[in-house]
């Protein structure tokens, strides 16, 4: 019988890698551009919310960092087949970096509850989305040279992101109920 001290970290590492791959798979859905901001509307940004809610702050953030790291070295894992370091210095770079904060904040809020239900997970995913916007909008403003316009242009994301917040909370709630020992409670 394997020693649990060695198998547990391996299982946690496997979950981290699998969820990084999950975020990458969400990039198969193409993004589309609305307005003139140069930032696409994508399905992929639901990934950091889900991994934070399911794996907790530490492992959820590690999943996002892993996915973004392999993207930065050139793998075309972002929506629309984008990849490489240029993705991080373009107009959507702040939102990509914000995914790290999104997973972290979502995980921190979700793990504050012993058994997070839908209301707690809604709070966690809303907080995670706000964390992404707090980084993404100023970055876009710096990139375009107009912080006010960046904030206004980002309003186009709110309806879709509101749907993603609710979906992420619903999915996480179902997974927490169905697999309470699989999802991370340690942060």
């Amino acid at each position: 019988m394997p020693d649990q001290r060695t198998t547990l970290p391996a299982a946690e590492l496997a979950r981290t890698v699998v969820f990084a791959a999950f975020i990458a798979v969400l990039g198969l859905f193409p993004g589309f551009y609305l307005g003139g901001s140069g930032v696409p509307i994508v399905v992929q940004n639901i990934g950091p919310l889900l991994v934070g809610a399911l794996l907790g702050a530490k492992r959820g953030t590690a999943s996002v960092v892993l996915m973004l790291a392999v993207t930065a070295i050139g793998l075309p894992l972002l929506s629309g087949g984008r990849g490489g370091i240029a993705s991080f210095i373009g107009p959507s770079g702040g939102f990509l970096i914000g995914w790290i904060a999104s997973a972290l904040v979502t995980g921190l809020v979700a793990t504050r509850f012993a058994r997070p239900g839908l209301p707690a997970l809604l709070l966690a995913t809303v907080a995670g989305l706000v964390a992404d916007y707090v980084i993404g909008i100023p970055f876009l403003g710096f990139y375009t040279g107009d912080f006010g316009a960046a904030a206004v242009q980002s309003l186009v994301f709110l309806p879709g992101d509101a749907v993603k917040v609710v979906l992420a909370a619903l999915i996480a709630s179902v997974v927490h109920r169905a697999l309470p020992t699989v999802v991370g409670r340690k942060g």
Side-chain angles (χ1 to χ4, degrees):
M1 181 167 197
D3 183 5
Q4 191 163 2
R5 289 176 299 186
T6 59
T7 58
L8 187 60
E12 292 170 357
L13 177 62
R15 273 189 223 119
T16 301
V17 172
V18 165
F19 276 89
F22 169 72
I23 299 169
V25 167
L26 290 172
L28 292 174
F29 296 97
F32 63 95
Y33 294 86
L34 264 179
S37 75
V39 179
I41 295 175
V42 298
V43 172
Q44 201 168 22
N45 67 330
I46 195 174
L49 300 173
L50 276 169
V51 299
L54 293 174
L55 298 181
K58 182 178 169 186
R59 286 170 198 84
T61 302
S63 289
V64 173
V65 168
L66 174 61
M67 189 277 188
L68 293 176
V70 296
T71 299
I73 61 171
L75 292 178
L77 301 178
L78 297 175
S79 186
R82 297 174 300 136
I85 199 71
S87 301
F88 296 90
I89 56 175
S92 60
F95 290 102
L96 294 174
I97 295 164
W99 287 1
I100 298 168
S102 183
L104 176 68
V105 170
T106 301
L108 286 173
V109 174
T111 56
R112 294 300 168 244
F113 300 91
R115 295 185 65 121
L118 185 57
L121 292 166
L122 276 170
L123 175 65
T125 54
V126 166
L129 182 65
V130 168
D132 189 19
Y133 277 45
V134 163
I135 295 171
I137 292 173
F139 187 97
L140 179 60
F142 180 76
Y143 183 84
T144 62
D146 189 347
F147 291 94
V152 171
Q153 289 173 349
S154 296
L155 292 174
V156 74
F157 302 122
L158 285 178
D161 284 348
V163 170
K164 292 174 209 168
V165 159
V166 171
L167 281 174
L170 284 169
I171 292 166
S173 176
V174 169
V175 172
H176 277 285
R177 278 195 317 263
L179 305 168
T181 59
V182 172
V183 293
R185 294 282 25 109
K186 295 178 186 173

